[in-house]
């Protein structure tokens, strides 16, 4: 059996002068859950469109189950998606939706029906199976969204922000479902803005921005790259320009990101923080807030992208 | 009051900022006005009905007969050969004069193009019959003379029909546009207010905007009043656009402008309440559009917006009284055509107020903040 | 093919679960047909008679003949009321009469002396047609009367014998031979009869152009096709708009993750609008038959026309949706396009009522060709031209729409 279920290599996609994907690539193993992180405009949507076959004219290759994904349409029977949108029919009930979406794949009607009933149990919607979806809560819709993505028993599933806009309880339940997928040998590509979710369920993390893969590794590996340094976030009244001018004189810490009225720095030795503050005051820079954080995925993200994931 | 106006103005802004707003409120009613105005154009201003006469006659009677048909409201084109394109065509045969001289009966071929205007064809037909009558009369009174065209005694129009205005002091007879524009105005107030007004109420509720408004110090009655005022302003804006265009381009005469404003105001009030009711009861955009188009058209048809009211059978007129549009149109007729005063349209205003009251009560009953 | 059928079945299921908006769009044309048909029904007892008010200040023969002509059973379109002038004016100003004719005193005497005389006519200003009919009828009557006076020598005896009596139209006719008592009149009367029986001049009417011969008198059958085609455009547009909504709400992308080809999806969407349109129109045909007793003519021909029309509409809107950015844009543009189609294509008013300058526009509309087709079919004629025009243009639209949509899906 091949090790990589999906291998994306050197994908570059341009929209006129804009480069949406820039020599982008990664691979995923069977049963692996990887987190694909990137701020808005990172290139995730383009990547999803390429995988769905709706985006052409790109360079690079996508190999799925050892074959070129775009040369064998049947391969799509083994791939699923849970889109960010509630992409199903509100007027129909859960069973009707599962039967329709499942029907698009090469799967027998009998098996489809059995699978639909099983899935509704898994996502705890079996008692609401025949109720129009328009009566469902946000969490219920999210769970159904996942069930539809799994109806044809894919070997790889792409989950695009499956926990957006739902309460904590529903989120926990969805994360449990995703963890179980991995345990059952299904590979998962998981995109989210909730870094804590990635920390919780993903065995490997890829950070991308502006179409490029910036870094890849386990959570520990990524934190190690940042180093065991304390992260200091400072808010105040200063411009990016003034901070860039000042940056040259900061020797005791590494600047991670500078934004308007914001700077984050990585200190090996926090004893040096007062020195920095003194320098700020000398330069008449007003500081309103200072936070010291231990390195985590958020600081890793900030280091590599220079911005927060929500920007 | 400040908050009511604030809510009302934002609704009006939503309507006006729609890209297609000017099509619905201006271009589309203009197409209607143009088409219907032309159909129902008044005789004084209408384009002359055209008649092509193919005069193959070798004698003098052909030309003579043409003269007998001549009338200020028809345009005669005399040709020698039958043209390919025509609307109405009368053929005077080669032996036309010969047969008249020998008093032999003859049939003149009158061709009507099926695609041409039916009303103009009837008008021409009447003129031809009148021409025949005059010809026969002259033939009779001159039967003794040897040569008809020598010292002929001409037919005399002894009786003249003189049309006078009902009101001696009124300057002009109402034009076709005076008939058509009020009907289109009433119909489009209904269409615009019900569709736009209804959808915005529904969207406000579904997207939580109503809830958000209530988080401010705005009360529910203020919120309802704001929505009502917004829709009323939509109706008045639609009316203003059409009246303005009507006066500017179609010489529209609404009679007493203040009374016309009162009718528009009270009618728009009734429709404003109805639009809140639609937006509160229905949960889908398609449904609101469908119900609005249906109600607007049925009210318009029953109320006499579509066709001259004299065509409508009495039973239908009675049924039409259930439509608010009937009361608005009846009011318009009273002031535009009969120069009636406020006391004469009081009943119309009261009925429109009753409609406003009924729709208001229902819309308050069904007004929901959340789904 | 399996996936195309699946999408189609799913669409039907969805529409059946929430049919209200489609039902409303079905009810509107039926109701409008009912209303318009009832108002303009040719059935005589339903058509209101024209109310004519006459003030007779003359009360002699001329006035009598004039008044009685309005009452004549051959005309039978006026409801006559003799009133005092003030009362007449009041009735008109209260919208209770189409026209008031005032016959001045001395009218008959002036007539006999062949002196010019005026009849005053006050039209109801709020009415558009009826007063004009009264006016034209009065004019024709005046010409006849003027002619008769110029032909015959009418003496005072005849006038005096009628004065003060309440003779009706029939009695007046019996008086005519009295004219013959005068020798000159007798000759003229004889001559007149030879001129009128058969008429010396008569018009023979002929309808030209490509009008079909409709024998049916069911007015609803003229109205329903025009109005229903307008609403069929709206209905199919709703089905086809799924192309935009599914792209916007992510369903299309989700579908494309399945082994579904873009061309299969496009075919399914157009096919869905097409078939749903056919089913919807068959309901309209059935309603027309059951409610309005419409004889649609040859049902096989009609079915072919419906199939081709629905195909045309589905392809047309598929093409439009390939260019619209989103549902809002579609919503904004589609309704005006349909309304322009309907206004110029004969759905709102007959195309021959349109101002001649803009009549050519109607040939560019679907409504025009469908209405012509339906009219021909009612006369059991196969509408070759409309069907060919719709079929060829429909295929062209389909090809362009498929290519354009494919470009929108696969970027």
């Amino acid at each position: 059996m091949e090790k990589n279920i999906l291998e994306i290599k050197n994908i570059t996609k341009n929209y006129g002068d804009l480069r949406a994907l820039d020599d982008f690539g990664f691979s995923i193993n069977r049963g692996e859950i990887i987190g694909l992180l990137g701020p808005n405009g990172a290139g995730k949507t383009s990547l999803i469109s390429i995988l769905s076959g709706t985006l052409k004219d790109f360079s690079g290759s996508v190999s799925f189950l050892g074959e070129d994904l775009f040369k064998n349409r049947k391969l799509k029977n083994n791939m699923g998606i849970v889109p960010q949108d509630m992409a199903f029919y509100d007027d129909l009930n859960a069973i009707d939706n599962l039967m329709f979406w499942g029907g698009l794949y090469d799967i027998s009607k009998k098996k489809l029906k059995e699978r639909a009933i099983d899935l509704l149990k898994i996502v705890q919607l079996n008692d609401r199976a025949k109720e129009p979806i328009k009566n469902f809560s946000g969490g219920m819709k999210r769970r159904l969204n996942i069930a539809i993505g799994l109806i044809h028993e894919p070997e790889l599933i792409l989950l695009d922000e499956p926990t957006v806009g739902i309460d904590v309880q529903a989120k926990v339940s969805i994360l449990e479902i995703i963890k179980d997928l991995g345990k059952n040998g299904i590979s998962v590509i998981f995109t989210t803005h909730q870094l804590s979710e990635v920390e919780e369920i993903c065995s490997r993390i890829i950070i991308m921005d502006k179409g490029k893969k910036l870094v890849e590794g386990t959570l520990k590996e990524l934190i190690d790259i940042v180093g065991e340094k304390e992260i200091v976030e400072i808010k105040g009244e200063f411009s990016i320009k003034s901070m860039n001018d000042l940056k040259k004189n900061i020797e005791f810490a590494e600047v991670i990101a500078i934004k308007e009225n914001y700077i984050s720095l990585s200190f090996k030795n926090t004893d040096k923080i007062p020195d920095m503050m003194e320098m700020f005051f000398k330069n008449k820079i007003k500081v309103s807030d200072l936070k010291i954080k231990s390195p985590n995925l958020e600081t890793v993200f900030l280091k590599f992208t220079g911005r927060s994931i929500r920007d | 009051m400040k908050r009511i106006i604030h809510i009302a103005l934002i609704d009006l802004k939503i309507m006006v900022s729609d890209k297609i707003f000017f099509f619905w409120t201006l271009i589309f009613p203009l197409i209607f006005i143009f088409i219907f105005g032309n159909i129902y154009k008044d005789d004084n201003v209408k384009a002359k009905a055209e008649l092509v006469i193919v005069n193959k006659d070798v004698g003098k009677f052909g030309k003579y007969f043409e003269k007998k048909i001549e009338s200020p409201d028809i345009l005669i084109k005399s040709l020698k050969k039958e043209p390919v394109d025509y609307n109405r065509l009368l053929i005077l045969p080669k032996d036309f004069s010969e047969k008249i001289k020998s008093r032999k009966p003859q049939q003149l071929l009158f061709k009507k193009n099926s695609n041409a205007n039916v009303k103009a064809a009837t008008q021409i037909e009447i003129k031809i019959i009148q021409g025949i009558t005059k010809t026969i009369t002259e033939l009779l009174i001159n039967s003794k003379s040897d040569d008809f065209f020598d010292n002929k005694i001409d037919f005399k129009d002894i009786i003249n029909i003189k049309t006078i205005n009902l009101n001696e002091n009124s300057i002009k007879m109402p034009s076709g546009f005076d008939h058509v524009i009020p009907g289109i105005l009433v119909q489009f107030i209904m269409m615009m207010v019900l569709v736009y007004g209804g959808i915005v109420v529904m969207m406000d509720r579904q997207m939580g905007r109503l809830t958000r408004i209530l988080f401010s110090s705005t009360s529910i009655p203020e919120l309802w009043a704001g929505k009502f005022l917004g829709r009323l302003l939509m109706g008045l804006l639609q009316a203003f656009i059409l009246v303005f265009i009507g006066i500017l381009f179609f010489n529209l005469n609404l009679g007493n402008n203040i009374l016309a404003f009162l009718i528009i105001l009270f009618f728009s009030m009734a429709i404003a309440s109805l639009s809140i009711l639609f937006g509160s009861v229905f949960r889908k955009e398609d449904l609101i559009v469908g119900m609005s188009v249906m109600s607007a058209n049925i009210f318009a048809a029953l109320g006499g917006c579509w066709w001259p009211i004299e065509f409508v059978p009495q039973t239908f007129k009675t049924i039409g009284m259930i439509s608010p549009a009937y009361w608005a149109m009846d009011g318009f007729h009273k002031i535009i055509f009969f120069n009636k005063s406020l006391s004469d349209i009081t009943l119309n205003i009261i009925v429109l107020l009753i409609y406003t009251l009924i729709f208001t009560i229902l819309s308050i009953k069904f007004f929901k903040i959340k789904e | 093919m399996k996936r195309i059928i699946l999408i189609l079945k799913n669409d039907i299921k969805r529409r059946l679960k929430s049919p209200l908006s489609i039902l409303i769009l079905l009810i509107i044309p039926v109701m409008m047909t009912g209303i318009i048909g009832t108002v303009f029904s040719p059935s005589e007892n339903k058509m209101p008679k024209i109310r004519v008010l006459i003030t007779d200040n003359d009360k002699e023969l001329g006035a009598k003949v004039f008044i009685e002509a309005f009452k004549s059973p051959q005309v039978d379109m006026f409801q006559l009321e003799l009133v005092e002038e003030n009362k007449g004016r009041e009735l008109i100003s209260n919208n209770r009469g189409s026209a008031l004719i005032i016959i001045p005193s001395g009218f008959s005497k002036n007539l006999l002396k062949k002196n010019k005389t005026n009849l005053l006519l006050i039209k109801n200003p709020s009415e558009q047609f009826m007063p004009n009919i009264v006016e034209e009828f009065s004019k024709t009557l005046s010409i006849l009367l003027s002619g008769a006076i110029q032909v015959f020598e009418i003496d005072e005896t005849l006038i005096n014998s009628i004065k003060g009596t309440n003779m009706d139209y029939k009695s007046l006719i019996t008086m005519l031979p009295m004219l013959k008592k005068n020798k000159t009149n007798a000759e003229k009367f004889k001559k007149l009869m030879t001129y009128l029986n058969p008429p010396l001049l008569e018009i023979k009417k002929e309808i030209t152009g490509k009008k079909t011969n409709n024998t049916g008198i069911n007015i609803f059958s003229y109205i329903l096709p025009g109005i229903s085609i307008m609403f069929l455009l709206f209905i199919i547009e709703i089905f086809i708009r799924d192309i935009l909504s599914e792209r916007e709400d992510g369903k299309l992308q989700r579908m494309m993750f399945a082994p579904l080809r873009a061309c299969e999806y496009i075919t399914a969407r157009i096919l869905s609008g097409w078939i749903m349109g056919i089913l919807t129109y068959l309901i309209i045909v059935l309603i027309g038959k059951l409610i309005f007793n419409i004889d649609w003519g040859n049902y096989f021909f009609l079915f072919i026309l419906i199939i081709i029309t629905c195909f045309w509409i589905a392809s047309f809107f598929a093409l439009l949706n390939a260019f619209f950015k989103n549902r809002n844009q579609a919503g904004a543009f589609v309704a005006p396009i349909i309304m322009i189609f309907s206004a110029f294509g004969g759905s709102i008013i007959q195309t021959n009522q349109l101002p001649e300058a803009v009549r050519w526009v109607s040939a560019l509309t679907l409504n025009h060709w469908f209405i012509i087709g339906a009219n021909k079919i009612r006369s059991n004629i196969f509408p070759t031209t409309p069907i060919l025009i719709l079929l060829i243009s429909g295929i062209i639209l389909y090809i362009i729409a498929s290519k354009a949509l494919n470009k929108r899906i696969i970027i």
Side-chain angles (χ1 to χ4, degrees):
Chain A
M1 192 184 276
E2 75 286 353
K3 196 183 166 215
N4 290 338
I5 189 165
L6 175 78
E7 189 163 15
I8 297 170
K9 271 188 191 164
N10 314 106
I11 292 213
T12 299
K13 169 72 192 172
N14 296 316
Y15 295 104
D17 292 338
L18 183 80
R19 182 155 286 195
L21 287 170
D22 188 359
D23 201 25
F24 184 79
F26 72 91
S27 61
I28 178 168
N29 300 332
R30 199 170 282 278
E32 193 181 16
I33 302 176
I34 62 168
L36 186 62
L37 302 180
N40 291 329
K44 283 180 291 178
T45 311
S46 296
L47 180 68
I48 292 171
S49 299
I50 285 176
L51 292 178
S52 73
T54 54
L55 203 57
K56 289 275 160 77
D57 298 330
F58 59 87
S59 61
S61 65
V62 179
S63 152
F64 181 53
L65 296 169
E67 282 187 67
D68 185 338
L69 177 66
F70 307 113
K71 287 203 172 138
N72 183 359
R73 192 166 288 275
K74 295 252 176 213
L75 286 175
K76 285 189 162 186
N77 283 314
N78 301 304
M79 190 191 279
I81 186 168
V82 175
Q84 191 179 338
D85 304 304
M86 307 287 193
F88 42 74
Y89 296 101
D90 260 15
D91 296 328
L92 301 179
N93 59 36
I95 278 279
D96 286 340
N97 263 294
L98 284 165
M99 293 300 285
F100 169 73
W101 292 101
L104 293 171
Y105 297 88
D106 298 320
I107 176 169
S108 76
K109 210 169 178 181
K110 187 171 165 260
K111 197 169 176 201
L112 202 58
K113 198 150 201 176
E114 287 169 8
R115 178 84 182 140
I117 293 164
D118 286 350
L119 272 172
L120 285 173
K121 275 184 201 153
I122 294 170
V123 296
Q124 295 160 23
L125 289 171
N126 45 331
D127 51 341
R128 312 286 290 263
K130 300 234 161 152
E131 207 177 304
I133 290 165
K134 53 188 168 200
N135 302 338
F136 280 19
S137 69
M140 287 160 79
K141 284 184 181 174
R142 284 274 162 214
R143 295 205 303 267
L144 177 68
N145 205 17
I146 292 178
I148 292 172
L150 294 170
I151 183 72
H152 57 295
E153 292 186 285
E155 292 179 51
L156 168 80
I157 187 154
L158 204 155
L159 297 158
D160 189 10
E161 303 200 29
T163 55
V164 167
I166 50 171
D167 58 63
V168 180
Q169 211 181 347
K171 198 178 284 184
V172 170
S173 138
I174 286 175
L175 292 180
E176 283 306 315
I177 294 169
I178 298 170
K179 274 189 214 166
D180 285 346
L181 292 174
K183 281 178 198 160
N184 293 326
I186 297 171
S187 312
V188 178
I189 301 170
F190 180 55
T191 81
T192 182
H193 279 111
Q194 298 293 324
L195 297 179
S196 59
E197 291 176 0
V198 177
E199 287 176 339
E200 189 184 336
I201 64 167
C202 295
S203 49
R204 199 150 51 93
I205 297 156
I206 295 166
I207 296 175
M208 66 186 295
D209 194 15
K210 293 173 185 156
K212 280 187 175 169
K213 182 169 79 179
L214 301 176
V215 68
E216 180 183 351
T218 60
L219 180 62
K220 191 178 175 306
E221 284 166 353
L222 297 184
I223 289 173
D224 283 349
I225 295 171
V226 179
E228 286 174 9
K229 298 171 189 171
E230 301 293 335
I231 306 293
V232 177
E233 283 186 335
I234 298 169
K235 287 178 187 167
E237 285 175 27
F238 46 81
S239 64
I240 295 175
K241 190 183 171 296
S242 63
M243 209 36 85
N244 275 330
D245 293 342
L246 205 64
K247 197 172 135 184
K248 294 168 233 162
N249 305 325
I250 304 175
E251 291 159 353
F252 36 76
E254 189 188 338
V255 175
I256 296 175
I258 299 175
K259 286 190 284 183
E260 197 69 23
N261 300 326
Y262 174 91
I263 184 167
S264 61
L265 307 110
S266 156
F267 281 80
K268 212 163 203 177
N269 183 357
T270 43
D271 292 349
K272 293 284 179 188
I273 294 174
D275 295 350
M276 185 195 61
M277 293 308 289
E278 199 184 333
M279 194 169 101
F280 275 28
F281 294 139
K282 269 185 190 168
N283 285 284
K284 291 180 181 163
I285 287 172
K286 281 187 188 172
V287 173
S288 57
D289 191 20
L290 185 144
K291 269 184 197 151
I292 302 171
K293 285 181 176 176
S294 298
N296 58 8
L297 189 53
E298 200 179 329
T299 51
V300 173
F301 192 87
L302 200 62
K303 175 173 172 57
F304 284 101
T305 62
R307 49 189 175 148
S308 153
I309 196 161
R310 296 194 183 282
D311 282 354
Chain B
M1 194 61 198
K2 191 185 138 203
R3 279 188 288 267
I4 294 173
I5 294 170
H6 188 66
I7 294 168
L9 288 180
I10 196 74
D11 276 2
L12 194 66
K13 202 171 175 183
I14 291 172
M15 174 173 151
V16 176
S17 58
D18 187 350
K19 277 180 200 154
I20 207 75
F21 167 75
F22 274 105
F23 177 84
W24 282 119
T25 51
L26 180 67
I27 312 290
F28 194 49
L30 266 180
I31 294 175
F32 265 63
I33 291 172
F34 179 61
I35 292 174
F36 287 100
N38 267 291
I39 298 175
Y40 302 140
K41 231 184 220 172
D42 182 65
D43 285 348
N44 302 328
V45 286
K46 77 175 162 216
K48 289 180 177 183
E50 194 187 275
L51 171 69
V52 176
I53 298 183
V54 180
N55 191 350
K56 296 177 183 168
D57 183 32
V58 288
K60 285 182 179 174
F61 274 98
K63 271 276 160 238
Y64 158 81
F65 186 63
E66 274 185 35
K67 286 247 176 270
K68 293 292 146 197
I69 302 173
E70 268 177 17
S71 158
D73 48 1
I74 66 170
L75 180 73
I76 295 177
K77 268 192 191 171
S78 188
L79 301 173
K80 287 282 166 206
K81 276 187 179 174
E82 194 172 322
V84 182
D85 283 325
Y86 59 87
N87 288 322
R88 292 153 290 272
L89 181 99
L90 181 72
I91 300 172
L92 303 181
K94 213 174 160 184
D95 55 354
F96 180 73
S97 294
E98 200 45 53
K99 279 191 172 163
I100 287 187
K101 275 186 197 161
S102 56
R103 304 297 191 255
K104 275 187 189 155
Q106 61 177 318
Q107 285 188 326
L108 304 177
L109 194 58
F110 177 53
K111 291 185 178 184
K112 292 190 279 189
N113 189 320
S114 62
N115 295 319
N117 191 305
V118 184
K119 204 182 144 203
T122 316
Q123 196 184 341
I124 296 281
E125 209 174 313
I126 291 172
K127 295 296 166 199
I128 298 174
I129 291 169
Q130 291 174 353
I132 291 175
T133 313
K134 288 177 186 173
T135 307
I136 293 181
T137 308
E138 287 195 358
L139 286 173
L140 272 167
I141 52 181
N142 294 299
S143 58
K144 286 197 173 155
S145 102
D146 295 333
D147 186 348
F148 180 79
F149 294 101
D150 269 356
N151 305 317
K152 166 172 73 78
I153 305 166
D154 284 335
F155 176 91
K156 268 202 290 187
D157 268 320
I158 300 173
I159 307 167
N160 179 36
I161 306 288
K162 191 180 167 196
T163 306
I164 55 168
N165 286 349
L166 175 63
N167 303 299
E168 319 290 352
N169 50 0
S170 68
I171 305 148
K172 66 177 192 84
M173 284 291 282
S175 75
F177 294 112
D178 292 342
H179 283 103
V180 168
I181 295 174
I184 287 171
L185 185 128
V186 165
Q187 174 164 10
F188 274 84
I189 288 177
M190 289 192 284
M191 291 265 279
M192 297 309 298
V193 177
L194 290 179
V195 172
Y196 274 103
I199 289 175
V200 174
V201 167
M202 181 207 71
M203 297 292 277
D204 276 354
R205 184 179 65 249
Q206 288 186 349
M207 298 180 84
R209 292 196 288 250
L210 295 182
T211 318
R212 192 170 197 162
I213 290 172
L214 289 178
F215 265 97
S216 70
S217 50
T218 312
S219 65
I220 293 182
E222 276 177 322
L223 175 58
W224 186 91
K227 292 283 156 200
F228 174 78
L229 183 63
R231 274 128 204 87
L232 176 60
L233 292 177
M234 286 178 190
L236 294 180
L237 177 66
Q238 169 70 82
F240 173 78
I241 291 173
L242 289 185
V243 170
F244 181 73
I245 293 294
I247 291 171
L248 204 63
F249 296 111
F250 302 105
N251 206 12
L252 173 70
N253 173 23
L254 283 177
N256 184 324
N257 289 335
I258 296 168
L259 296 187
F261 173 74
L262 285 181
I263 290 169
I264 292 170
L265 177 73
F266 288 108
F267 178 68
S268 301
M269 277 167 60
I271 302 304
S273 295
L274 185 61
S275 104
I276 302 178
L277 178 63
F278 276 12
S280 304
V281 172
F282 304 121
R283 294 169 65 181
K284 276 189 164 185
E285 192 178 324
D286 284 350
L287 201 56
I288 291 183
V289 174
M291 283 303 292
S292 301
V293 172
M294 185 161 81
S295 327
N297 282 320
I298 289 172
F299 279 159
L302 289 176
C305 300
W306 283 359
W307 40 62
I309 197 77
E310 71 258 30
F311 276 174
V312 182
Q314 191 51 48
T315 1
F316 220 86
K317 277 186 197 162
T318 317
I319 297 170
M321 288 168 123
I322 61 159
S323 159
Y326 170 88
W327 296 96
M329 288 302 290
D330 184 58
F332 274 130
H333 278 171
K334 283 178 182 168
I335 57 165
I336 296 174
F337 305 122
F338 301 111
N339 283 342
K340 297 278 183 183
S341 62
L342 179 62
S343 61
D344 295 303
I345 60 160
T346 311
L347 177 67
N348 300 63
I349 289 174
I350 290 172
V351 175
L352 289 174
L353 272 173
I354 292 171
Y355 273 112
T356 309
L357 195 68
I358 294 169
F359 294 147
T360 300
I361 291 169
L362 287 172
S363 74
I364 289 172
K365 186 174 158 43
F366 288 102
F367 191 59
K368 281 177 288 191
I369 303 299
K370 275 195 229 170
E371 280 297 324
Chain C
M1 196 62 197
K2 174 199 143 196
R3 292 181 183 91
I4 294 174
I5 293 169
L6 181 76
I7 294 175
L8 194 63
K9 271 163 70 179
N10 190 54
D11 281 355
I12 295 173
K13 194 185 264 180
R14 277 168 51 217
R15 300 298 171 193
L16 288 176
K17 293 235 168 166
S18 49
L20 207 54
S21 42
I22 303 297
L23 273 180
I24 287 173
L25 288 173
L26 267 176
I27 293 168
I28 300 173
V30 173
M31 289 196 79
M32 281 163 77
T33 304
I35 292 173
I36 300 171
T38 312
V39 168
F40 290 102
S41 170
S43 162
E44 275 178 38
N45 53 5
K46 278 183 191 161
M47 274 301 281
K49 286 198 173 180
I50 305 172
R51 201 162 168 208
V52 181
L53 311 169
I54 297 186
T55 302
D56 183 5
N57 292 331
D58 178 49
K59 298 194 170 59
E60 292 191 15
L61 179 69
K64 282 250 176 238
V65 172
F66 191 85
I67 293 166
E68 288 306 322
F70 271 94
K71 289 185 190 169
S72 109
Q74 283 91 333
V75 181
D76 192 33
M77 60 194 291
F78 301 108
Q79 184 196 333
L80 199 70
E81 192 177 336
L82 289 173
V83 288
E84 290 302 317
E85 186 176 336
N86 286 343
K87 173 79 178 163
R89 282 177 180 271
E90 193 192 321
L91 284 171
I92 291 283
S93 74
N94 285 322
N95 203 6
R96 291 175 60 195
S98 292
L100 169 69
I101 300 167
I102 304 166
I103 305 174
S105 63
F107 171 73
S108 299
K109 284 210 168 71
N110 281 326
L111 206 57
L112 285 178
K113 288 177 189 161
K114 295 173 192 161
N115 288 342
K116 285 218 166 189
T117 177
N118 282 336
L119 283 176
L120 298 182
L121 179 82
I122 297 175
K123 294 183 190 176
N124 179 336
S126 76
E127 293 185 359
Q128 288 161 266
F129 289 106
M130 304 305 196
N132 293 340
I133 296 173
V134 177
E135 187 182 20
E136 282 305 324
F137 186 76
S138 304
K139 276 185 184 167
T140 311
L141 217 52
S142 302
I143 289 169
L144 283 168
L145 264 178
S146 302
I149 286 299
Q150 286 165 71
V151 171
F152 298 110
E153 305 290 329
I154 300 172
D155 58 29
E156 295 274 339
T157 0
L158 183 66
I159 306 292
N160 290 336
S161 64
I162 291 168
K163 201 172 182 178
T165 60
N166 284 320
M167 298 187 81
D168 62 7
Y169 180 78
K170 273 187 186 166
S171 318
L172 274 170
I173 295 289
T174 59
M175 301 293 289
L176 280 175
M178 283 181 73
L179 292 169
K180 290 190 230 170
K181 284 186 179 169
N182 176 319
K183 201 185 161 196
T184 339
N185 276 347
E187 271 173 35
K188 283 179 182 167
F189 197 82
K190 203 175 152 193
K191 198 164 265 173
L192 178 66
M193 285 304 130
T194 61
Y195 283 14
L196 296 181
N197 193 24
L200 193 64
L201 281 172
E202 194 182 9
I203 49 176
K204 185 185 163 195
K205 284 180 255 177
E206 188 184 299
I207 307 286
T208 56
K210 289 169 185 169
K211 192 157 185 159
T212 51
N213 298 317
N214 291 305
T215 46
I217 49 151
N218 186 332
I219 188 165
F220 301 108
S221 62
Y222 293 92
I223 302 165
L224 188 60
I227 294 183
S228 60
I229 194 68
M230 171 162 99
F231 284 87
L232 185 68
L233 280 160
F234 276 112
I235 290 171
I236 297 182
E237 195 277 324
I238 289 180
F239 297 139
I240 297 288
R241 206 186 288 183
D242 279 351
I243 291 174
L244 284 178
S245 58
E246 288 181 345
R247 191 169 67 207
E248 270 177 64
D249 61 22
K251 290 192 193 88
L252 173 62
Q253 178 137 65
R254 187 168 215 165
M255 283 189 209
M256 295 312 289
F257 256 87
L260 175 78
R261 286 184 178 87
C263 61
E264 282 179 308
Y265 173 75
I266 295 164
T267 311
R269 278 278 140 264
I270 295 178
L271 193 67
S272 167
W274 183 10
I275 292 178
M276 301 286 274
I278 294 171
L279 294 175
T280 310
Y281 206 83
L282 290 180
I283 297 173
I284 291 179
V285 171
L286 189 70
I287 291 173
K289 180 78 198 157
L290 295 178
I291 299 182
F292 302 119
N293 195 25
I294 290 175
D295 178 11
W296 291 91
N298 185 314
Y299 282 90
F300 177 67
F301 294 170
L302 183 68
F303 189 58
I304 293 175
L305 181 68
I306 293 169
I307 288 176
I308 290 168
T309 303
C310 291
F311 172 69
W312 193 99
I313 302 174
S315 303
F316 176 70
F317 285 120
L319 178 62
L320 288 189
N321 281 330
F323 296 109
F324 292 139
K325 277 186 193 155
N326 49 42
R327 269 177 291 182
N328 285 346
Q329 205 180 52
F333 284 101
V334 159
I337 290 170
I338 295 177
M339 295 314 277
I340 288 173
F341 264 33
S342 306
F344 289 98
S347 288
I348 294 173
I349 53 159
Q350 287 184 355
T351 44
N352 61 10
Q353 299 269 32
L354 284 173
E356 287 175 17
V358 295
R359 216 173 279 168
W360 60 273
V361 181
S362 70
L364 302 176
T365 66
L366 166 94
N367 306 47
H368 173 76
W369 295 109
F370 179 80
I371 293 166
I372 290 180
N375 284 345
K376 285 203 170 191
I377 290 170
R378 271 204 311 280
S379 309
N380 284 323
I381 300 168
F382 185 75
T384 317
T385 317
I387 280 189
L388 275 179
I389 287 173
L390 292 179
L391 182 65
I392 293 167
S393 53
I395 291 171
I396 294 170
L397 286 173
Y398 175 79
I399 294 168
I400 305 173
S402 301
K403 287 202 184 311
L405 279 172
N406 204 59
K407 276 198 169 172
R408 286 303 295 267
I409 294 172
I410 312 284
I411 305 162

